[in-house]
Amino acid sequence: MTQYVPENPLIVQGDHTVLVEVDSPRYEAARDELARFAELVKSPEHIHTYRITPLSIWNACAARTSTEEIAATLCRYSKYDVPAHVLQEVRDYASRYGRLCLERRPEGLVLRAADEPLAEEVCRNKHVAPLLGRRQSTLEFLIEPAARGRLKQALVKIGFPAEDLAGYCDGDPLPIQLRATTGGGAPFGLRGYQQEAAAIFHAGGSERGGSGVIVLPCGAGKTVVGMACMAAVQSSTLVLTTNVTASRQWIGELLDKTTLHEDQIAEYNGSSKEVGPVTVATYQIMTYRPKKDADFVHLGLFDERNWGLIIYDEVHLLPAPVFQVTASLQARRRLGLTATLVREDGREDDVFALIGPKKVDVPWKVLEGQGWIATAVCTEVRVPMPDALRMPYAVADARQKFRIASENPDKQELVRRIVRRHADEPTLIIGMYVEQLQQIARELQVPLITGSTSQRKRDELFEKFKAGEVRVLAVSKVANFAVDLPDAAVAIQVSGTFGSRQEEAQRLGRILRPKPGRNQAHFYTLVSRDTVEQDFALRRQLFLCEQGYTYEIADADETSGWTSGMRNWART
Amino acid sequence: MKVFDFDWQPFFQRLRTWSEITTPSRLAYVTLPSGSPTPMESFGKDLDRLLREKWLAMYADGRRVRIHDEARWMASTLRAMHRHSSQLDTESDLRVYLHSHFTHSEQNALASGDFSGRGSLPARAASEEWLNGFLSEDAVQWVGRRLQNSGERPSPETISAAQSLVREATSWPQPAPLHELPARLASVPPEQVWPAIRLAVRVLLLFPRLRDDDLVVEIGLWPALVERLHRPKPSPPSVVEPGERFQLAYLVEDMTMLLIAAADGTLRVRGHDYRLFSKAEERICEQLVTLPAWLEAWISKRHDQRLIEAQALLRDMRLIDYAGRAGRDLRITPTAAAHPWLADTDEGRIRRVVRQLSPAERHPKCGYHFDPGDPRVAKLALPRRAVRAFEDTVVGQFLVWDEFLRWHTEMSNPLLEKVRQEGAESLRYVFWWFSQTTEELERLWGLILRGYLLEYLLPLAGVEVAVAQGDRISFRLTEVGRYILGLADDFSYRPEKSAGGEIVVQPNFEIVFLSPSPLAEAMLARFAERLPSTARGRRGIGALFKITRTAIYSAAASGATAAQALTTLRDISAKPLPANVQREIEGWFGQCRSVEIKHAVLIRCLDADTAARVVSASGRKAQLLTDTIVELQNPKDQPALVKKLRAAGIFINPPGKPI
């Protein structure tokens, strides 16, 4: 008979998934240990699911977690016996890490194998062999510095990740410190987890640190961690972000919270092509090419200066051409920042090989518990279709159906009610159809940002929103990514398909930053009842529940009590 | 006899060499291909001796060897012994042995006196009766009958010596090495030892073979018989402390699951055997309740077998029927009786199944296809005796099943009692197709009792089974069990649900089992989708179900309601039911509607005036759908309407011609 320890929180399954019971008295201890070698797959309210993969084990090995520790954790916290084959496979995965090692020697970069059969296997592999140079001895191969990244990629793909101990070039020195008081005069200091993340990344400047990924939930201050790493490295830095708005926010933060001056920070994007000791560029510009088959004209930026650190913001969105360039930049320190390691294209192994292993992963529940991010309540409100639209909806084709349901005019009244309900809270109204947003903006007299809004105007409105001069802002899809709206407490999504997992997380991330008072955020989704929109909403519901958010469903008629006074939201 | 019928003395004399060479050399010798050259290295340092003593002969090339001509008979005997060395165990092994070493006429002679002929010779030869017959006073006659037509006439001295030899062998827990035999048989005259062995082998009392690990020649009684002779006397079944327990009317759950799957009338079956097509079968099998691993291993029943039984029973109970044509659209359709059955309580459904099976009167199908309607079988009143065996169990206590079975088969066996009271012939014509040895009658009664347990009591929650220390299966009769056996007029069925805190309904619609609960699985399977087994790990644990719209629609089609589903979820879940899950379930059930599909005739008219005339001509049998389209509700009225229309000056256009 198998053992059963009900007070333990883990169930280790044969398919390498680990179920974690949140209500167990030993949950927190188990979670902290488990997170070192397993990836969180989903975290609905009661039972979370983690998965042990070769990558997660190698990440753990890179962080010096031993197989014995992994096995001991699984056995110590498991309700049932841990399947023997899982332990065996953990041992097997772990045994592969570090058997190949990249080192710097006087004669150059060397790949060293732990034993001869492995050296033979590696040098006979058709993907690895072309990347190896002269064989120094039975166990060692010279490596061209330019092949360092591609070799690491190839080795990960064949299941023998190389431990990169070849170190980094120092880059141009750049004195940079974090301020104790921000430019705006507010006191500033690193939070404990931010400080720890930066220290783990830097590893005292040794070759054991200097490259890797820091995973923090939306709103946890990844930009600040990036700046702390810059301060640790003290070297010229290239920051890559997802878009211009995000770039500007990086620049704003750098000026606000570090000792850097404006002339030390350059912006490299569609409208400005400056290069400075700290350069903030976008993935868009890096992957720009005039024709489909032309070269990427801006990739030269990577060689423009002697960068000591490259920061990849939202690393899970890193485009393929940047991966290619990153492969040749292995001598530079690299920091990836993200809220999730999950990539829609499944290239997590490339992130591991080229940017580096996961260095830090702080669960959002921990930060929520500490008050560093807001508690979010997701509410789906179902609005009946007006009688006049039911027949047009019934006979429309699939695409039209979605639009008719999305643009349900009765949603406007509901938006009004929600806005009234959160009278004092900064609110974003997010939509997919510009006409609908324009109508809502007109009705509520609130400003609107769409794709056609100029960058200047956007920045101006964002600034006013931040300053509290604009309390309600309507935005189309442009606000999805890396838009730092620190005081948004309420988001109302009036239309839109369920996008990728990241899109949904980012949308929610807009409202997760800590709030004064109850530190609570609200994410409303308005859905036309019994329409295709409800099907999309179900997928969103599943996703958000699996992320651990509280999800409520309400009918429009249940919201009648939400009205609590009128006010004009446009203070401009 | 084909191989072993020879003078054993020279064989014994040559055996000295065999016992002195190494085991690898022995193995090389018995596996040496007949007539084919073999490298001489296989025999190592024994090669010289084997060549010298003419066990082997060298080829002219001086590098390879073969069996020496003078040792051919020895080699073939050793090979025959080696062939059976690890295959002298089951009845089918004995059948193979008989086939290998005896001609049909020899087997017929050995089986003489047995009503069922040589078919049951293996069972008979492995029985105590066989041994006792040979050891009896009229052994000469016994042997004579079994060697008839062979021309062999062993002397009374040889028979007596063989009796001594066999009597001696009954005390051996293991077969004896042949080279030790003369020393062990002090009571047998030396000149009779070898003829005695030859006779005992010839009449299936002794079986020669090579010992598995070192290939030493040994001889002994049939192993199953030795085991039987040396076993301790049975004792009443012991009471044990149960470990993991199980009680669930899974047969009823399987039937329910199949009915739900067939609710929409699209579940197709194969024309030739009325089984589900494999994809549908796999899909439904995935949905069946998972039994604990120890139980599934014990009852050896796969999900597809359970499904077949459920289907057969549903058909017998007229809860399903088949519609459509074989090979085209033959499918299962629930009958009108199915919905009331599904809507009934657990007790009600079990009651109906018990009425259909009537275990208190009918034998289970236990592998023996005897006719329960046969008055000679009925006279034995086996169901009554089986019921009594279970009735006698101590209420509430778990008994070890194997001990229960052994006690009843050996100490309280109505078949043996019959034979003891009325003689061996009393059952000959009832069970004419098998040999009525003690072992066989014990086996038959054991199968009947096991059939009661596995075919009636266990699948209908009539027993609670448990795995006790030492992985022993134990059981106890439940209230349902007493009802099934006709010992109670009614029952309540409340199997223990999973202990609190072990099943969780998550906001993402998954239902996670932190510990196994087949009952909860059965309850959930009615309206939740079982996740594929690949997504699961440990049996009965993990995210086993997901509540989906499809599953809810399917449950609604079979008559389930939102209230039932929500009550079940609240009952089983250790945590409050997430509000979003409750909302969606209510919403999905609320979306379900019934519609009627019927055939009608549409009459398209040129204008509204004509349409009005058509309606007028039809009486009340047609109605206007639009200004120009009239619906005739019953197509059978069409000929009459056509006549009336013609009379009214309205003609029917041939198809395709514009009006």
Side-chain angles (χ1 to χ4, degrees), chain A residues 88-148:
Chain A
Q88 185 53 47
E89 273 151 359
V90 165
R91 271 183 221 113
D92 181 47
Y93 297 151
S95 70
R96 290 160 170 248
Y97 185 83
R99 288 175 66 193
L100 290 168
C101 206
L102 275 169
E103 293 171 346
R104 188 167 297 284
R105 302 267 181 81
E107 64 269 28
L109 202 59
V110 169
L111 176 72
R112 184 170 48 80
D115 51 59
E116 203 176 331
L118 178 60
E120 283 304 316
E121 186 181 341
V122 164
C123 76
R124 283 159 197 267
N125 182 282
K126 66 177 180 181
H127 299 294
V128 178
L131 303 169
L132 299 176
R134 187 163 49 82
R135 194 163 187 165
Q136 291 279 84
S137 66
T138 49
L139 300 180
E140 293 179 346
F141 302 86
L142 270 181
I143 304 296
E144 279 298 313
R148 183 170 163 185

Side-chain angles (χ1 to χ4, degrees), chain A residues 4 11-13 15 19 21 23 42 44 46-47 80-81 83 382 530 535 541-542 545-546 553 555 558, chain B residues 471 502 504-510 514-516 534-535 537-538 541-542 549 575 580 583-584 588 591:
Chain A
Y4 176 50
I11 296 174
V12 184
Q13 308 227 83
D15 62 354
L19 303 179
E21 188 187 4
D23 297 329
K42 52 190 169 187
H46 304 297
I47 312 288
Y80 299 93
D81 295 331
R382 293 182 179 166
D530 296 338
D535 297 343
Q541 182 185 155
L542 287 178
C545 286
E546 288 184 352
I553 301 172
D555 282 327
E558 293 168 37
Chain B
D471 289 341
E502 293 176 349
V504 177
V505 181
Q506 300 240 82
N508 67 342
F509 298 85
E510 282 180 357
L514 298 181
S515 62
T534 47
R538 203 178 287 273
I541 298 171
R549 187 165 44 188
K575 312 278 178 199
N580 66 314
R583 273 278 180 165
E584 293 290 14
W588 290 332
Q591 285 169 356

Side-chain angles (χ1 to χ4, degrees), chain B residues 24 106 137 147 163 247 262 296 308 328 336 456 519 526 541:
Chain B
E106 284 170 340
E137 284 175 5
L147 296 181
Q163 279 183 311
Q247 187 205 350
E296 207 161 75
I308 290 169
R328 301 193 69 175
Y456 298 146
L519 173 64
R526 293 173 206 172
I541 298 171

Side-chain angles (χ1 to χ4, degrees), chain A residues 505-542:
Chain A
Q506 293 289 340
R507 257 178 226 144
L508 193 58
R510 301 283 67 76
I511 58 167
L512 281 177
R513 289 177 171 80
K515 317 277 177 299
R518 286 167 58 214
N519 198 22
Q520 191 167 53
H522 295 270
F523 184 30
Y524 291 93
T525 311
L526 311 190
V527 173
S528 290
R529 167 187 290 285
D530 296 338
T531 65
V532 287
E533 212 183 12
Q534 204 173 313
D535 297 343
F536 282 102
L538 180 62
R539 292 166 62 193
R540 181 187 300 117
Q541 182 185 155
L542 287 178

Side-chain angles (χ1 to χ4, degrees), chain B residues 25-40:
Chain B
S25 297
R26 287 181 204 149
L27 185 62
Y29 195 81
V30 290
T31 52
L32 196 65
S34 185
S36 304
T38 296
M40 54 195 200

